[in-house]
Amino acid sequence: MADAFGQMLLDGAGQEIVERDDGFLDAAKLVYFAPVAQWPAVERRALRWVRGRVLDAGVGAGRAALELQRRGRSVVGIDVSPGAVEVARARGVRDVRLLAFEELDASLGHFDTIVMFGNNFGLFGSPSKARRLLRRLRPLADRIVAGSNDPYATEDPAHLAYQERNRERGRMPGQLRLRVRYRDLIGPWFDYLIVSPDEMATILEGTQWRIRRLLQESGSGYYVAILE
């Protein structure tokens, strides 16, 4: 399948078009190049919890990695998109690897913090996969700073119908099946997990991880959880 996401970043223009498996299309302004002053307030506040050697999971165009490098952190960025890796490297991220999140192992060494800004808790994909990966991450990292979006902070009938469809199929309401479209390119389908704070806490049970603190965006469903 085409690297639609990566080509979008390489071009650095236009809108991000995301297709859901029920046919719903969403178009959003590109946020992957945003300077720190334009980040959500909760992500700026969460930077104080990002310490030591850092893994930026889903590095994208490198917005988080570059800011953390500027603050003196040693950062490794990973992404499954070859185009994203190329863009992040060209923009100055010193250590970027073409690597899927689920393939992370001890070969990259130990990290003090794993950063998952921009809803990237979603990379866990599903509750069962999240628990499996969280157990694997326990000896590899001391802290996870992860963004997610409360799926229930909406009144959109299309989203509410999708959540009900998920329940009928035995899936979590915010368990999404998505793909990125860009111009004539269509990327592969992938699972993305959007959870409420309570759902996140339930997923963490039995993994040895816990929510140390929640930073929530006023008037928005977006939040950042500090996991230790």
Side-chain angles (χ1 to χ4, degrees):
M1 300 296 291
D3 183 16
F5 177 74
Q7 189 59 53
M8 177 187 71
L9 295 185
L10 285 164
D11 290 351
Q15 291 184 311
E16 180 179 24
I17 309 295
V18 177
E19 178 184 4
R20 201 168 59 194
D21 64 346
D22 63 342
F24 184 86
L25 294 172
D26 186 42
K29 179 182 176 182
L30 296 187
V31 298
Y32 302 100
F33 301 89
V36 67
Q38 296 176 15
W39 293 9
V42 288
E43 290 187 350
R44 296 197 302 271
R45 288 167 55 200
L47 285 171
R48 66 182 292 264
W49 296 90
V50 181
R51 301 166 188 168
R53 184 169 185 256
V54 179
L55 176 74
D56 185 357
V59 69
R63 70 174 178 99
L66 288 169
E67 177 59 25
L68 291 166
Q69 280 183 184
R70 189 186 70 79
R71 294 173 178 234
R73 302 288 181 242
S74 173
V75 184
V76 177
I78 62 171
D79 208 291
V80 73
S81 161
V85 169
E86 182 178 344
V87 170
R89 188 173 290 137
R91 296 183 71 220
V93 181
R94 299 185 191 107
D95 191 347
V96 192
R97 318 288 181 93
L98 182 63
L99 185 72
F101 181 53
E102 57 267 30
E103 295 173 359
L104 182 65
D105 58 28
S107 65
L108 289 186
H110 182 271
F111 295 94
D112 299 283
T113 310
I114 296 176
V115 171
M116 307 179 78
F117 282 162
N119 281 322
N120 268 355
F121 185 86
L123 295 176
F124 284 113
S126 72
S128 59
K129 183 178 176 182
R131 293 187 183 99
R132 184 172 69 253
L133 291 178
L134 284 162
R135 292 187 186 101
R136 185 194 301 176
L137 292 175
R138 184 63 194 90
L140 304 181
D142 298 330
R143 173 177 293 167
I144 300 173
V145 179
S148 189
N149 197 68
D150 188 338
Y152 310 112
T154 182
E155 297 180 356
D156 189 317
H159 297 328
L160 297 176
Y162 187 81
Q163 291 175 15
E164 185 57 34
R165 175 174 176 257
N166 271 347
R167 291 187 187 96
E168 292 171 357
R169 298 165 65 197
R171 292 163 64 90
M172 290 191 71
Q175 193 171 340
L176 312 179
R177 184 76 171 162
L178 306 172
R179 64 183 177 183
V180 176
R181 305 180 71 113
Y182 178 69
R183 297 176 64 87
D184 60 340
L185 302 178
I186 302 176
W189 290 105
F190 61 94
D191 289 315
Y192 207 65
L193 183 61
I194 304 297
V195 294
S196 69
D198 286 344
E199 289 171 334
M200 183 183 290
T202 299
I203 288 171
L204 296 180
E205 291 176 1
T207 68
Q208 298 185 23
W209 291 95
R210 65 184 179 88
I211 298 175
R212 166 79 179 273
R213 180 161 299 191
L214 280 173
L215 307 176
Q216 296 181 287
E217 187 89 352
S218 177
S220 165
Y222 186 60
Y223 66 93
V224 175
I226 314 300
L227 312 181
E228 292 183 345

